[in-house]
Amino acid sequence: MPHPTLQTDAQGRLRHLLTIAGLSRELLQHLFDLAETYMDPLTKSTELQGRIITNLFFENSTRTRMTFELAATRLCADVMNFNVSTSATAKGETLLDTLRNIEAMHTDLFVVRHPLSGAAHFIAQHTAPGVCVINAGDGRHAHPTQALLDMFTIRRHKGDFTPLRVAIVGDILHSRVARSQIAALNTLGVSEIRLIGPQTLLPAATRTLGVHIFPYLADGLEDVDVVIMLRLQKERMDGALLPGTSEYFRLYGLTQARLAVAKPDVIVMHPGPINRGVEMDSAVADGPHSVVLQQVSYGVAVRMAVMSLCLQD
Ligand code: ASP
């Protein structure tokens, strides 16, 4: 019998999605199988008819917010959008008061993005029984649905995870996406996870993460099946961690020439937004190995699957 946690119940069913840590390989594969059933963009399902989903975004978002809204609409849920810049938060309302008020509108599920790590957990601990919370990115901590759609993209291209060598490149220190990807890749049993980046942008404690560190792009990219590029997250940097963006591109920017040492069928991923000419050049971003826009499309199906699992009876 599975041990109940904040995000899974005693039967192992998803109640909230806050982090990848602690989720089983079987649950992830089940979620991907379910996402496959939502892949036709023209087919709607009525399974969330009568349910209310609230997008609670305290931080900017393009892809995540829009694909969550589209996913909820395709499941026939009613959707409310909360935007911090136009809300009463700007007048001093607390997070809990905002939550209680939106709960009073009979919300079944909150999709939460917040600049503070732990915000989604906090909200999940304070919602009324039966109300679900999906973490859409909290500070530097986690972005589980991004990692799930990334894994789904990898599965669609590569099938089996076990032989894969995956490189994550760039600002890993500030990346909630990288933290969730590392957890998911470990759970799915890939052969090797490589972190490539300057020392100043790598987490201090990598020994427990199950990863290999590569300071140079040329060594780290050799024979990899998947390359995940990350944005330099300047909004989360406390000081100058880099000499400059052109210097960064010279050392860590992905170009066609640098990609040549990877496997011939390597796929290149990026969670977006891309800074062209900083983490990769346009020839790679728009090139034959790039699956960046597929990640966005698959994100709808994956987010439908997450909402469906969280709201199952
Ligand atoms: N969109 C991703 C996030 O919200 C990645 C990024 O912003 O660089 O974490």
Side-chain angles (χ1 to χ4, degrees), residues 289-312:
H289 297 282
S290 172
V291 297
V292 171
L293 294 179
Q294 284 174 22
Q295 290 172 258
V296 180
S297 305
Y298 297 165
V300 179
V302 169
R303 288 176 170 132
M304 288 171 79
V306 171
M307 289 193 281
S308 167
L309 285 185
C310 283
L311 288 172
Q312 72 189 330

Side-chain angles (χ1 to χ4, degrees), residues 21-251:
L23 301 182
S24 67
R25 187 182 298 192
E26 293 66 38
L27 181 68
L28 299 195
Q29 294 286 14
H30 171 55
L31 191 136
F32 300 149
D33 292 342
L34 186 59
E36 286 292 346
T37 69
Y38 298 126
M39 280 298 286
D40 178 0
L42 300 177
T43 310
K44 274 196 168 194
S45 151
T46 55
E47 67 188 272
L48 296 190
Q49 198 152 36
R51 303 292 201 125
I52 300 176
I53 290 171
T54 300
N55 282 322
L56 202 55
F57 277 59
F58 294 88
E59 208 185 67
N60 294 344
S61 172
T62 302
R63 282 151 291 271
T64 306
R65 205 198 60 71
M66 291 179 77
T67 53
F68 262 114
E69 181 165 358
L70 184 57
T73 311
R74 286 191 50 209
L75 293 169
C76 291
D78 292 317
V79 184
M80 297 195 288
N81 286 307
F82 167 94
N83 188 328
V84 70
S85 59
T86 54
S87 74
T89 305
K91 297 183 188 171
E93 186 170 66
T94 67
L95 179 57
L96 278 184
D97 279 335
T98 305
L99 198 69
R100 295 279 170 264
N101 279 270
I102 303 175
E103 266 177 7
M105 302 171 205
H106 304 292
T107 285
D108 295 287
L109 188 152
F110 287 104
V111 178
V112 180
R113 170 167 290 191
H114 202 285
L116 293 181
S117 298
H121 279 76
F122 176 80
I123 291 175
Q125 279 158 346
H126 290 87
T127 47
V131 176
C132 305
V133 176
I134 297 175
N135 183 2
D138 62 326
R140 298 181 185 189
H141 173 237
H143 195 347
T145 60
Q146 177 70 48
L148 290 174
L149 73 90
D150 294 336
M151 299 305 119
F152 183 70
T153 306
I154 294 174
R155 191 176 93 151
R156 288 205 117 219
H157 280 270
K158 305 288 178 192
D160 184 11
F161 284 94
T162 49
L164 300 181
R165 235 181 239 137
V166 180
I168 305 178
V169 186
D171 183 4
I172 293 142
L173 179 65
H174 301 101
S175 177
R176 54 195 177 201
V177 173
R179 251 170 282 283
S180 291
Q181 288 168 336
I182 293 166
L185 290 165
N186 275 319
T187 302
L188 292 162
V190 296
S191 141
E192 188 183 359
I193 305 170
R194 298 178 176 183
L195 302 187
I196 309 173
Q199 187 92 48
T200 48
L201 295 182
L202 292 174
T206 47
R207 228 179 311 139
T208 53
L209 293 180
V211 296
H212 293 112
I213 304 296
F214 287 78
Y216 301 108
L217 199 56
D219 303 332
L221 291 184
E222 210 174 320
D223 284 333
V224 295
D225 303 275
V226 178
V227 184
I228 302 173
M229 302 304 295
L230 299 172
R231 182 176 65 89
L232 285 181
Q233 291 161 69
K234 294 197 177 140
E235 73 276 21
R236 297 202 178 90
M237 293 186 191
D238 293 332
L241 296 175
L242 290 167
T245 46
S246 47
E247 178 70 359
Y248 178 81
F249 182 73
R250 198 174 64 74
L251 294 171

Side-chain angles (χ1 to χ4, degrees), residues 268-279:
V268 175
M269 306 173 71
H270 193 301
I274 295 177
N275 288 140
R276 290 169 184 261
V278 179
E279 55 263 9

